[in-house]
């Protein structure tokens, strides 16, 4: 296999499930190396569960189903040997000028942006959300051509919007972060990369130390939900469950979604390496994703309840079921014999 | 998730179909465009209404001289005190002080401009907000 980095990129738009993995996959594929979205997601060991009650997003605890933003870019670099040019800026003018130069030189660029400033994104609902990844593949004067990885179609944004979106403040401030691939390795040892990535994911998810990371975090969240049972402050309970739902299913593909992407990765890996054990794990992971969806449906049911108090016990039980099923998958992955 | 289980409720906040990875009859993964999931959509709308209610409440209090327009615009921009403090680079204590009408009066234009940039409104809109209400 010889991968050649293309100089003048003819852009093809790909749509994916999650902004960062789809963005990386789309960029790398367009530069001349086929990398699917599940592979980018899995090989950068990005599957995760984080529950940080002490960090508030929109006034509610932070719940994340993957690693932090930029971890996919870093993970792909580390495990596959692809090198990206990455940079953050202090000066906005320098950042915008460099973006223009790159685009004029035929190099599409991935950007970390705040979604609320992009007019096409979600016009009815501009909540601040800093960790979106989008791709700009060209420009016409002061208009940029955008190929947003989670959108069906390509679109345009103005220079002013891009500048504001790149330099939004707050949590995960993008600071003008941009990236594009600048080196592809001659050959990629997928066996080594996948093995490393899976082992790392397993270690992280099964870690016994902190109650806010991995499987333990799911139990922590379930316990918190259980404590809310019969709480007189139904508004808070509803907001809390609504928050879980928005993070799981609406914002950034969500919990179920990430599990399905990871299952797709396991399947691809099993075909690539000829390992039937991974296929079995993939099947189990799909079942886990379905459990997450059911738990979210339970939240939805409680959410539309008109009664005075909300019974949260079954919801907590549903999340515990997810935790248990997911733990089984990781234990299974842990036992795989890598030749 | 099977292909036919991908939610197609027609309610969505973004102007696109979102891709979901589903399993087809042969056990292969396929990307399926989802047309929105209603409960998730409702949760987001609920969140927005929550912020709107808080904004209306703040508006009333601005009228009565109990708080400053900054609080109103903060809720309008879907932010919390901690988020606003982080985004402006001011301390929470300072921001709270600017919520006080007297603290707001003392604000210089430069700081007010910082607020205006972060909250996505014009400087004059913030300044003349109270006058417009009376």
């Amino acid at each position: 296999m010889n991968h050649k980095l293309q100089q003048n990129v003819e852009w093809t738009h790909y749509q994916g499930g999650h902004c960062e993995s789809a963005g990386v996959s789309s960029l790398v594929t367009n530069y001349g190396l086929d990398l699917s979205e599940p592979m980018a997601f899995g090989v950068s060991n990005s599957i995760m569960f984080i529950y940080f009650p002490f960090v508030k997003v929109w006034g509610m605890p932070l719940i994340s189903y993957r690693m932090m933003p930029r971890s996919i870019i870093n993970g792909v670099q580390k495990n596959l040997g692809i090198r990206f040019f990455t940079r953050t800026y202090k000066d906005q003018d320098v950042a915008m000028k460099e973006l223009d130069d790159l685009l004029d030189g035929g190099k599409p660029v991935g950007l970390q942006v705040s979604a609320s400033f992009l007019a096409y994104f979600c016009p009815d609902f501009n909540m601040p959300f800093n960790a979106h990844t989008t791709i700009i593949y060209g420009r016409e004067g002061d208009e940029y051509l955008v190929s947003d990885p989670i959108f069906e179609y390509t679109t345009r944004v103005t220079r002013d919007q891009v500048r504001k979106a790149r330099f939004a403040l707050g949590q995960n401030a993008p600071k003008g972060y941009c990236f594009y691939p600048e080196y592809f390795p001659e050959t990629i040892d997928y066996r080594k990369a996948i093995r490393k990535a899976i082992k790392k994911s397993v270690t992280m998810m099964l870690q016994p130390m902190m109650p806010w990371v991995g499987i333990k975090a799911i139990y922590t969240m379930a316990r918190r939900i259980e404590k809310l049972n019969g709480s007189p402050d139904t508004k808070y309970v509803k907001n809390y469950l609504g928050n879980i739902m928005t993070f799981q299913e609406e914002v950034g593909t969500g919990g179920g979604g990430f599990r399905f992407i990871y299952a797709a990765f396991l399947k691809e890996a099993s075909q690539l390496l000829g390992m039937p054990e991974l296929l079995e794990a993939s099947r189990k992971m799909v079942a886990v994703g379905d459990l997450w969806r059911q738990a979210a449906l339970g939240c939805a049911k409680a959410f539309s309840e008109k009664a005075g108090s909300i019974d949260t016990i079954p919801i907590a039980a549903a999340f515990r079921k997810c935790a248990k099923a997911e733990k089984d998958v990781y234990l299974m992955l842990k036992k795989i014999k890598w030749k | 998730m099977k292909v036919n289980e991908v939610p197609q409720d027609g309610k969505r906040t973004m102007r696109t179909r979102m891709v979901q990875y589903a399993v087809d009859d042969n056990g292969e993964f396929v990307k399926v465009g989802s047309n929105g999931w209603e409960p998730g959509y409702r949760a987001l709308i609920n969140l927005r209404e929550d912020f709107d209610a808080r904004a209306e409440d703040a508006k009333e209090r601005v009228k009565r001289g109990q708080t400053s327009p900054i609080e109103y615009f903060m809720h309008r921009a879907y932010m919390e005190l901690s988020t606003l403090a982080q985004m402006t680079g001011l301390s929470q204590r300072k921001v709270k002080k600017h919520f006080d009408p007297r603290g707001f009066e003392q604000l210089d234009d430069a700081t007010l401009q910082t607020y205006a940039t972060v909250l996505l409104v014009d400087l004059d809109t913030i300044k003349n907000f109270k006058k417009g209400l009376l």
Side-chain angles (χ1 to χ4, degrees), chain A residues 37-197:
Chain A
E37 189 199 352
M39 188 52 96
F41 182 76
V43 95
S44 53
N45 52 271
S46 294
I47 196 158
M48 197 60 219
F49 186 86
I50 295 169
Y51 173 73
F52 280 171
F54 39 84
V55 180
K56 297 277 195 280
V57 181
W58 303 337
M60 283 288 159
L62 170 86
I63 301 164
S64 178
Y65 295 81
R66 54 151 174 145
M67 294 291 272
M68 292 302 164
R70 299 185 196 178
S71 82
I72 294 178
I73 297 161
N74 293 335
V76 165
Q77 292 198 79
K78 214 171 173 179
N79 288 347
L80 289 184
I82 296 169
R83 263 214 312 277
F84 283 98
F85 171 90
T86 58
R87 192 176 165 188
T88 52
Y89 299 86
K90 272 185 184 160
D91 193 327
Q92 301 193 5
D93 295 324
V94 176
M96 292 312 279
K97 191 173 175 310
E98 199 162 304
L99 176 66
D100 288 350
D101 289 347
L102 284 169
L103 293 174
D104 292 343
K107 281 192 191 317
V109 181
L111 298 176
Q112 189 190 339
V113 288
S114 168
S116 58
F117 291 93
L118 299 171
Y120 69 88
F121 195 75
C122 186
D124 325 322
F125 200 20
N126 282 333
M127 299 200 64
F129 176 63
N130 272 340
H132 184 62
T133 306
T134 194
I135 296 166
I136 296 192
Y137 67 98
R139 70 171 183 135
E140 277 172 19
D142 268 356
E143 283 215 314
Y144 290 98
L145 309 174
V146 184
S147 157
D148 198 295
I150 61 167
F151 272 62
E152 284 174 291
Y153 45 84
T154 57
T155 173
R156 283 158 186 259
V157 284
T158 62
R159 190 186 186 81
D160 190 42
Q161 283 172 17
V162 173
R163 181 190 286 258
K164 277 185 181 154
R166 291 182 74 187
F167 288 95
L169 302 162
Q171 264 164 6
N172 287 325
K175 296 194 180 111
Y177 187 75
C178 75
F179 64 96
Y180 64 88
E182 58 173 8
Y183 166 79
F184 289 152
E186 298 261 301
T187 51
I188 295 177
D189 187 353
Y190 275 104
R191 173 177 287 272
K192 201 175 146 199
I194 289 167
R195 176 185 168 200
K196 206 169 144 190

Side-chain angles (χ1 to χ4, degrees), chain A residues 314-335:
Chain A
I315 301 170
F319 280 115
R320 289 215 173 91
K321 227 164 114 186
C322 297
K324 194 173 172 300
E326 203 167 323
K327 193 174 180 182
D328 285 347
V329 180
Y330 296 120
L331 286 175
M332 190 182 154
L333 285 172
K334 199 178 177 182
K335 277 186 204 127

Side-chain angles (χ1 to χ4, degrees), chain A residues 276-295:
Chain A
E277 306 99 308
L278 290 177
L279 192 63
E280 183 57 35
S282 159
R283 243 181 248 129
K284 277 194 172 176
M285 203 50 152
V286 173
V288 173
D290 287 335
L291 281 179
W292 277 105
R293 286 193 60 80
Q294 271 169 27

Side-chain angles (χ1 to χ4, degrees), chain B residues 30-47:
Chain B
V30 281
K31 290 186 196 174
V32 182
S34 158
N35 203 4
W37 186 56
E38 214 246 327
Y41 173 81
R42 220 173 42 231
L44 260 183
I45 294 300
N46 187 283
L47 197 62

Side-chain angles (χ1 to χ4, degrees), chain A residues 15 37 124 153 169 267 290, chain B residues 15 17 21 27 48 87:
Chain A
Q15 192 192 5
E37 189 199 352
D124 325 322
Y153 45 84
L169 302 162
K267 174 150 190 167
D290 287 335
Chain B
R15 296 199 173 162
R17 282 191 298 179
Y21 281 77
R48 183 172 72 178
M87 288 179 83

